[in-house]
Amino acid sequence: QVQLQESGPGLVKPSETLSLTCSVSGDSITNDHWSWLRQPPGKGLEWIGYIHYTGSTNYNPSLRSRVSISIDTSKKHFSLTLTSVIAADSAVYYCARVTVDFWNGYYPYYMDVWGKGTTVIVSS
Amino acid sequence: DIQMTQSPSSLSASVGDRVTITCRASQSISPYLNWYQHKPGQAPKLLIYAASSLHRDVPSRFSGGRSGTDFTLTISSLQPDDFATYFCQQTSSTPYTFGQGTRVDI
């Protein structure tokens, strides 16, 4: 059974860099895409971006100038880096596996495995 | 970005009730709509993908529907384990976007 586990500091100072790692167990990381998402307090989910195991990435334009997602297949983990953080970056951060399927002539993408999330607070 | 408008934001129901949650997309997203269940402190769980396909091991009391840009999640007979927050997600184009969520409680 595939499991994802986020890890990283729970407190980051404003203007500094947030770094999180998602460890993958129970499945090969050289399949599918791997994604980061977040949910600020009292708000809805926001998709941050995803990375394919080959290293190709796709980011939310709202964060593109500050975000980077990388993958280390040998260590079976992928990582999120968000620079110049502000208070509005405080959120629960989730990692997820993105699966591409084939259904009735369509290729739906969905997030079928998620981590439990890790809370990050941006504060001095 | 594609906007997803989800309603209601919360509802109260009883065990055995039929519950319907709606998401409306701001433009055509074909069937690229997923539904998730989320309980506090747990990982979100995929229920339905491609608007109406039940993910494996999800009980058959959950179903999804589509009419144009309107999508529904229906729980035919609410069970105690179903009290949670539900949210929709479009994966027609990036950035993927979500509905604001519907909290289902007693």
Side-chain angles (χ1 to χ4, degrees):
Chain A
Q1 183 178 353
V2 182
Q3 290 189 314
L4 305 181
Q5 177 68 59
E6 304 91 349
S7 61
L11 181 65
V12 182
K13 290 183 168 56
S15 80
E16 295 191 346
T17 296
L18 179 162
S19 296
L20 298 174
T21 294
C22 181
S23 299
V24 179
S25 60
D27 185 29
S28 171
I29 199 170
T30 55
N31 293 319
D32 305 302
H33 298 68
W34 304 91
S35 188
W36 284 99
L37 309 96
R38 68 182 184 178
Q39 186 169 29
K43 296 188 177 182
L45 276 158
E46 179 180 31
W47 174 76
I48 297 172
Y50 65 61
I51 187 166
H52 190 251
Y53 72 91
T54 57
S56 64
T57 55
N58 191 330
Y59 300 131
N60 191 323
S62 68
L63 296 168
R64 186 173 289 141
S65 63
R66 298 193 293 134
V67 71
S68 176
I69 298 175
S70 59
I71 192 165
D72 188 328
T73 55
S74 65
K75 294 181 179 178
K76 291 190 69 175
H77 72 220
F78 61 104
S79 300
L80 169 71
T81 299
L82 184 66
T83 61
S84 304
V85 297
I86 60 175
D89 292 315
S90 298
V92 178
Y93 285 76
Y94 297 92
C95 59
R97 183 178 74 177
V98 184
T99 292
V100 183
D101 209 330
F102 179 73
W103 177 85
N104 280 6
Y106 294 96
Y107 290 90
Y109 282 56
Y110 49 81
M111 295 169 187
D112 60 344
V113 183
W114 296 61
K116 292 183 178 181
T118 187
T119 299
V120 177
I121 297 173
V122 177
S123 175
S124 56
Chain B
D1 299 2
I2 297 174
Q3 305 302 314
M4 303 301 300
T5 304
Q6 185 172 343
S7 61
S9 57
S10 65
L11 65 90
S12 295
S14 302
V15 172
D17 284 353
R18 182 181 181 89
V19 169
T20 298
I21 299 167
T22 299
C23 261
R24 173 169 289 174
S26 61
Q27 64 189 71
S28 173
I29 58 171
S30 295
Y32 297 116
L33 190 285
N34 307 318
W35 289 100
Y36 301 86
Q37 177 192 68
H38 192 198
K39 298 179 180 178
Q42 297 186 20
K45 177 184 175 183
L46 175 68
L47 299 175
I48 288 172
Y49 65 94
S52 59
S53 289
L54 205 62
H55 188 52
R56 64 177 179 272
D57 298 331
V58 174
S60 59
R61 62 181 180 273
F62 291 92
S63 64
R66 173 198 174 196
S67 176
T69 57
D70 290 342
F71 298 82
T72 56
L73 171 69
T74 298
I75 309 171
S76 60
S77 177
L78 200 65
Q79 298 301 301
D81 190 49
D82 301 337
F83 291 97
T85 297
Y86 297 84
F87 55 91
C88 63
Q89 175 202 34
Q90 68 80 20
T91 55
S92 173
S93 62
T94 58
Y96 300 149
T97 48
F98 293 84
Q100 285 295 102
T102 297
R103 179 175 172 175
V104 177
D105 54 26
I106 300 173

